[in-house]
Amino acid sequence: MEEMAGAESGLSVNNSVSSSGSSIYKNYPLIAALVAFAIAQFIKFFTSWYKERRWDLKQLIGSGGMPSSHSATVMALSMAIGFQEGFGGPLFATALILACVVMYDATGVRLQAGRQAEVLNQIVYELPAEHPLAESRPLRELLGHTPPQVIAGSLLGIVTAVIGHFITMTNNQS
């Protein structure tokens, strides 16, 4: 009898594993986060063209700029979890705290690291040609975000999650 119960529980685990592989495409929080990230990166791509009048493909995958794709991603994720699991649960609380840490880091540590890179690049640029560091590759300067970039990214994430929630509700009613 115990062997039969074990076989049945093993069967249900295998069925849930195989069905979970296809359900990743129905994972609303994951899709909302990825869509928000993609939209933010495309906006940065076009914003960069508008400002510099040249296409910069690095903007499609790079960090920094307007809006913050990190903020858009984590806010879309946390809001989608809130819509799906409830805003009073521990899963939403965890996602929201994660979002706050990511956004704080973007405007704090990463922004300051980018500003330091600017100063260091200027110092290296002004070195005499015979200095050993004069030929060093410049540091990446666009690492973090200003508060308006983070706010814009988080609003984009919220809007993406809300639209995704309405789409999900509409599809579930059909």
Side-chain angles (χ1 to χ4, degrees):
M1 191 68 137
E2 288 178 25
E3 289 175 15
M4 188 157 208
E8 286 178 19
S9 67
L11 183 62
S12 65
V13 168
N14 288 339
N15 284 343
S16 67
V17 169
S18 65
S19 67
S20 69
S22 64
S23 68
I24 194 166
Y25 302 109
K26 296 177 183 177
N27 187 330
Y28 157 57
L30 177 63
I31 292 170
L34 293 175
V35 167
F37 176 81
I39 291 170
Q41 290 300 108
F42 276 111
I43 290 172
K44 282 196 268 191
F45 180 66
F46 288 106
T47 315
S48 130
W49 175 83
Y50 181 76
K51 286 168 51 178
E52 300 173 18
R53 295 291 185 222
R54 66 179 182 86
W55 296 108
D56 185 5
L57 292 174
K58 291 178 189 172
Q59 291 295 321
L60 289 173
I61 57 170
S63 60
M66 173 67 100
S68 165
S69 57
H70 291 89
S71 300
T73 302
V74 293
M75 279 306 290
L77 177 66
S78 62
M79 291 300 293
I81 287 172
F83 283 125
Q84 185 170 309
E85 305 293 328
F87 290 97
L91 193 54
F92 172 71
T94 303
L96 186 61
I97 294 300
L98 170 70
C100 291
V101 168
V102 167
M103 292 185 290
Y104 177 80
D105 180 62
T107 58
V109 176
R110 287 180 40 232
L111 180 63
Q112 293 305 316
R115 289 183 177 162
Q116 287 177 358
E118 280 182 52
V119 171
L120 290 171
N121 285 339
Q122 186 62 38
I123 291 170
V124 169
Y125 177 74
E126 294 174 5
L127 289 173
E130 61 273 0
H131 194 281
L133 294 176
E135 297 297 319
S136 63
R137 194 172 66 194
L139 299 170
R140 285 188 58 222
E141 297 176 5
L142 199 56
L143 299 173
H145 294 282
T146 62
Q149 292 170 339
V150 168
I151 291 168
S154 63
L155 291 175
L156 173 62
I158 291 169
V159 169
T160 303
V162 168
I163 292 170
H165 177 66
F166 285 123
I167 291 171
T168 303
M169 286 178 48
T170 303
N171 287 342
N172 288 341
Q173 290 175 355
S174 299

